[in-house]
């Protein structure tokens, strides 16, 4: 998601700093971004000449001090509360006065804000995958988010050619509150041999007119990411419909994490 968000802002003419947690992960970010740009060129939405232009406005680093002076900082690390808090605190240290946003899928904005020195300038901006293509951004305010921060989040989303939509600080917000029980149900149906994985996906695509089947979509999101999101919503709501299915837990334990590693419900 980090590289997708960076690509979308580069495409809209922004200067972007992409911070990885190590030199290796920063380099992986650059490779992923180049692959994303190649995909957009192949589809005709970008030209080869756009690549150089975009990459000339990109800085890739593992040093947080590179974000100082940025108007907007977006955190997109794993959906783990402790990781997000430690990364957000680092961001606050170096980007004083900037709007700091989290791309969390499910964690409370007020809860994250409670660990920060300037909760007024902190907000949720939940982008959708793949970011360069998908239009909506869920904008989630915490109890202390200022009006100025909210207006800036809307403005930056629109400048990045997105459609910002205000959403309450509720576990999973709108998208994942709806999506996670559906993915869980599809995994349960597979576990119970109600149909094959291809059958489940085909019925949802053809019968419910979804562009992707739920098992393909879970692979695309990342099964570890799905597990973290549904666990986080389950912890916050105690609602059984968010309790992760056994098969999902087992697949993550077996490191079958989906498309990003070449194997999930399907092989890639
Ligand atoms: N995958 C999706 O479809 C999707 C969609 C919308 C939002 N999100 C959200 O975006 C965020 C990232 O998801 P993703 O799918 O890109 O996950 P991912 O596992 O592909 O990437 C997470 C990245 O975070 C890095 N990371 C983890 N802990 C870190 C730390 N302490 N410091 C620095 N870097 C750290 C990892 O090295 C990795 O590069 C999550 O909050 C997720 O809920 C995901």
């Amino acid at each position: 998601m980090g590289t997708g968000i960076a690509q979308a802002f580069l495409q809209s003419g922004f200067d972007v700093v992409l911070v990885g947690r190590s030199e290796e992960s920063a380099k992986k970010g650059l490779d992923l971004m180049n692959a994303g740009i190649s995909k957009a060129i192949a589809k005709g939405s970008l030209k080869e000449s756009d690549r150089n232009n975009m990459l000339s406005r990109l800085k890739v680093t593992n040093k947080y001090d590179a974000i100082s002076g940025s108007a907007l900082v977006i955190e997109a690390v794993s959906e783990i509360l402790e990781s997000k808090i430690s990364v957000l605190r680092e961001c606050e240290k170096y980007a004083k006065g900037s709007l700091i946003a989290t791309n969390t899928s499910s964690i409370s904005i007020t809860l994250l804000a409670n660990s920060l020195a300037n909760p007024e300038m902190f907000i949720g901006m939940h982008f959708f995958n793949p970011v360069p293509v998908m239009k909506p951004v869920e904008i989630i305010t915490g109890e202390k988010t200022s009006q100025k921060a909210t207006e800036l989040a809307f403005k930056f989303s629109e400048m990045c050619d997105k459609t910002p939509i205000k959403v309450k600080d509720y576990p999973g917000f709108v998208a994942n509150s709806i999506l996670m029980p559906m993915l869980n149900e599809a995994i349960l149906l597979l576990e119970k041999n109600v149909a094959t994985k291809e059958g489940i996906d085909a019925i949802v695509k053809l019968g419910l007119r979804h562009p992707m089947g739920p098992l393909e979509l879970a692979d695309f999101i990342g099964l570890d990411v799905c597990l973290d999101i549904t666990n986080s919503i389950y912890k916050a709501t105690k609602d059984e419909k968010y309790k992760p299915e056994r098969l999902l837990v087992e697949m993550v334990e077996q490191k079958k994490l989906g498309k990003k590693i070449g194997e999930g419900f399907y092989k890639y």
Side-chain angles (χ1 to χ4, degrees):
M1 288 299 289
T3 54
I5 293 168
Q7 184 185 328
F9 277 92
L10 284 169
Q11 281 178 211
S12 300
F14 286 79
D15 290 339
V16 175
V17 178
L18 185 64
V19 185
R21 64 170 148 188
S22 62
E23 274 183 31
E24 191 197 349
S25 110
K27 158 93 179 47
K28 194 174 145 205
L30 181 59
D31 292 345
L32 277 171
M33 162 118 27
N34 255 313
I37 295 173
S38 299
K39 213 170 175 181
I41 292 169
K43 278 187 174 169
S45 52
L46 285 179
K47 297 189 292 297
E48 188 56 54
S49 57
D50 293 325
R51 187 194 303 270
N52 282 349
N53 178 300
M54 286 167 66
L55 294 181
S56 71
R57 285 182 280 106
L58 172 70
K59 178 173 176 147
V60 181
T61 178
N62 62 338
K63 305 274 190 306
Y64 278 88
D65 58 4
I67 64 171
S68 79
S70 303
L72 167 67
V73 176
I74 302 174
E75 165 279 311
V77 303
S78 311
E79 190 76 349
I80 296 164
L81 180 65
E82 297 70 27
S83 305
K84 293 218 177 268
I85 290 175
S86 79
V87 168
L88 287 167
R89 282 183 169 157
E90 285 300 299
C91 293
E92 254 199 338
K93 226 190 277 175
Y94 291 99
K96 291 199 170 58
S98 310
L99 175 64
I100 299 188
T102 173
N103 184 46
T104 181
S105 301
S106 58
I107 301 173
S108 161
I109 303 306
T110 297
L111 180 68
L112 290 168
N114 286 343
S115 301
L116 300 179
N118 287 308
E120 318 76 47
M121 284 303 278
F122 177 65
I123 199 159
M125 289 177 76
H126 180 238
F127 290 83
F128 287 68
N129 192 7
V131 187
V133 177
M134 302 293 273
K135 287 284 178 196
V137 183
E138 290 180 310
I139 305 285
I140 312 109
T141 53
E143 278 167 13
K144 295 186 180 156
T145 307
S146 63
Q147 183 63 25
K148 178 183 165 198
T150 310
E151 284 167 11
L152 280 173
F154 269 79
K155 188 173 145 210
F156 283 126
S157 304
E158 282 160 0
M159 286 170 81
C160 186
D161 199 23
K162 301 293 174 212
T163 306
I165 300 163
K166 178 89 164 58
V167 170
K168 192 174 158 184
D169 191 11
Y170 178 82
F173 317 125
V174 170
N176 284 294
S177 292
I178 296 171
L179 179 61
M180 286 302 141
M182 189 187 80
L183 299 187
N184 246 344
E185 199 62 34
I187 295 168
L188 179 68
L189 293 173
L190 182 66
E191 232 177 346
K192 290 190 165 177
N193 283 320
V194 176
T196 61
K197 55 180 183 283
E198 293 85 358
I200 294 168
D201 280 342
I203 289 165
V204 172
K205 279 192 284 193
L206 300 174
L208 308 183
R209 304 198 70 167
H210 290 204
M212 291 174 95
L215 300 168
E216 287 179 84
L217 179 58
D219 272 0
F220 182 67
I221 294 170
L223 299 189
D224 52 340
V225 179
C226 290
L227 181 60
D228 288 338
I229 295 172
T230 197
N231 263 330
S232 152
I233 305 179
Y234 181 52
K235 200 171 151 201
T237 61
K238 306 279 181 297
D239 187 331
E240 289 290 311
K241 73 181 173 212
Y242 295 107
K243 190 172 176 193
E245 278 313 320
R246 189 176 49 84
L247 179 59
L248 177 64
V249 178
E250 281 172 10
M251 291 188 64
V252 173
E253 281 169 358
Q254 291 162 19
K255 303 271 180 270
K256 293 180 182 167
L257 305 183
K259 198 167 180 192
K260 64 185 163 190
I261 61 106
E263 185 174 1
F265 291 108
Y266 295 89
K267 288 201 167 139
Y268 299 88

